[in-house]
Amino acid sequence: MEPPMEPSGGEQEPGAVRFLDLPWEDVLLPHVLNRVPLRQLLRLQRVSRAFRSLVQLHLAGLRRFDAAQVGPQIPRAALARLLRDAEGLQELALAPCHEWLSDEDLVPVLARNPQLRSVALGGCGQLSRRALGALAEGCPRLQRLSLAHCDWVDGLALRGLADRCPALEELDLTACRQLKDEAIVYLAQRRGAGLRSLSLAVNANVGD
């Protein structure tokens, strides 16, 4: 997406309206940028300082962020730019960042977005119990959480989640191989009445 081309000589045609002259909050943000894929927004930021400001204003108001919309592999710097000003996220999916996402990358995002209701961290093996603790303590409205293939999730981490997330309805613990019966029993006692979906597939230490 590019602003209208100016006629030769740099003079604007009489009566012409530039793209950035349109009202940002009434027109561009709700009716234009909402329809632009995140991958294209990264490119749009490079057009000019004005476009960079417009994109950052849009990103600051995001309610849903799925890193898969950027591509199968998103660089750390790109994620930091995209989420730098976001403070109203309700859904966050970061599976494409699984190779490098660390506590230091995730915890500040969680701290700025206490309204999160859905978080997907499947395969993010570089995280630790600290990240899950920050999520459980800082996002009390959490309803859906995917931790599939996160080997760092242990019984202590799950206990913290069960104690501090009263709204939890869906939990994916596929291939969280450190979990044992005791942790699942505790989860069931604390959150079982509210859970609608629980996956414990590929967990050999969880028995009948």
Side-chain angles (χ1 to χ4, degrees):
M1 184 181 302
E2 297 180 358
M5 296 293 293
E6 293 183 2
S8 58
E11 297 180 0
Q12 187 173 351
E13 294 180 350
V17 178
R18 297 174 186 265
F19 179 79
L20 291 174
D21 289 338
L22 296 171
W24 286 19
E25 294 187 359
D26 295 331
V27 177
L28 295 183
L29 294 178
H31 300 295
V32 179
L33 265 69
N34 273 342
R35 292 170 169 79
V36 180
L38 285 172
R39 186 182 304 182
Q40 300 301 325
L41 288 177
L42 284 174
R43 298 176 182 174
L44 192 61
Q45 287 188 107
R46 305 189 190 110
V47 173
S48 68
R49 291 182 179 177
F51 270 103
R52 187 180 306 119
S53 298
L54 174 63
V55 171
Q56 285 302 135
L57 186 61
H58 167 70
L59 295 173
L62 284 180
R63 294 294 178 266
R64 180 179 184 273
F65 180 87
D66 185 350
Q69 295 181 8
V70 181
Q73 294 181 334
I74 175 173
R76 176 180 273 111
L79 181 72
R81 281 199 306 272
L82 287 168
L83 296 181
R84 183 182 63 191
D85 300 316
E87 296 182 350
L89 288 174
Q90 296 180 6
E91 299 181 34
L92 179 65
L94 297 176
C97 311
H98 67 276
E99 291 186 355
W100 54 263
L101 188 70
S102 68
D103 294 349
E104 287 69 28
D105 300 310
L106 180 62
V107 170
V109 177
L110 299 177
R112 292 194 301 268
N113 293 276
Q115 306 299 322
L116 278 166
R117 290 173 169 80
S118 176
V119 177
L121 301 171
C124 294
Q126 304 302 316
L127 297 174
S128 75
R129 191 187 301 150
R130 176 190 166 205
L132 194 56
L135 178 62
E137 185 172 349
C139 303
R141 299 185 182 183
L142 187 68
Q143 296 175 333
R144 296 179 298 278
L145 176 62
S146 174
L147 297 170
H149 300 278
C150 290
D151 287 337
W152 50 270
V153 177
D154 57 13
L156 188 58
L158 191 60
R159 278 176 170 262
L161 192 68
D163 288 339
R164 297 181 181 139
C165 296
L168 193 63
E169 297 179 351
E170 300 178 16
L171 181 60
D172 187 353
L173 298 172
T174 300
C176 293
R177 296 182 178 87
Q178 290 196 57
L179 295 178
K180 299 180 181 179
D181 289 343
E182 293 80 2
I184 305 305
V185 169
Y186 188 84
L187 173 68
Q189 291 172 340
R190 296 288 292 172
R191 296 276 75 85
L195 283 176
R196 295 186 304 165
S197 174
L198 174 64
S199 175
L200 298 170
V202 201
N203 283 317
N205 291 325
V206 176
D208 293 343

